[in-house]
Amino acid sequence: MSYARNRSSSSQPIAEINITPLVDVLLTVLIIFMVSAPLLIKNIPFPLGSGHQNTSQDPVVLGLTIRETGEWLLEGQPTSRFALDQSLRVISATGAPIQLDINPEAHSSYDNLASVLAIANDNKITNLRVVSPSNRD
């Protein structure tokens, strides 16, 4: 209040820019870019098909059903994790390409699907199809 009384009527208003908020914003943006830039450079390996398939052999198509109860059916026959792994190893040893069609039921556990995908990955099976369950609700 005393400041207003001491000013004369002929003095000019102060027209300075306060740059402190500008510096704060620029430093914050700089820190964000320093943290996020290394994340953009990191490559995530994801194997993709070569684009052309070996047409000399037809793939062996196997159907695997994952039931809501957690039971697995390979070509209609009940199987376990170990038995599925052994079956895929035997078929892979023949050298024929394998196509695995996975049919999870609508309310089956994701853990079972993840286990099947892990077993297929261990056996170097790259031709996978996950058939979406139909909505029965």
Side-chain angles (χ1 to χ4, degrees), residues 46-55 57-64 74-75 84 88 91-92 95-103 113 116-117 119-131:
F46 189 76
L48 298 175
S50 62
H52 61 288
Q53 295 181 354
N54 186 3
T55 58
Q57 289 184 338
D58 291 333
V60 176
V61 180
L62 297 174
L64 180 73
L74 180 63
E75 294 296 318
L84 176 65
L88 294 178
I91 297 171
S92 294
I98 300 173
Q99 177 179 332
L100 186 61
D101 293 343
I102 306 168
N103 301 307
L113 178 62
V116 170
L117 294 176
I119 291 170
N121 187 33
D122 290 342
N123 289 296
K124 310 271 188 292
I125 298 173
T126 58
N127 194 1
L128 299 170
R129 288 194 308 182
V130 179
V131 180

Side-chain angles (χ1 to χ4, degrees), residues 74-121:
L74 180 63
E75 294 296 318
Q77 301 297 320
T79 188
S80 65
R81 286 177 171 82
F82 179 74
L84 176 65
D85 186 39
Q86 293 303 316
S87 299
L88 294 178
R89 283 187 198 278
V90 168
I91 297 171
S92 294
T94 64
I98 300 173
Q99 177 179 332
L100 186 61
D101 293 343
I102 306 168
N103 301 307
E105 289 185 350
H107 298 288
S108 61
S109 171
Y110 175 75
D111 291 337
N112 288 323
L113 178 62
S115 296
V116 170
L117 294 176
I119 291 170
N121 187 33

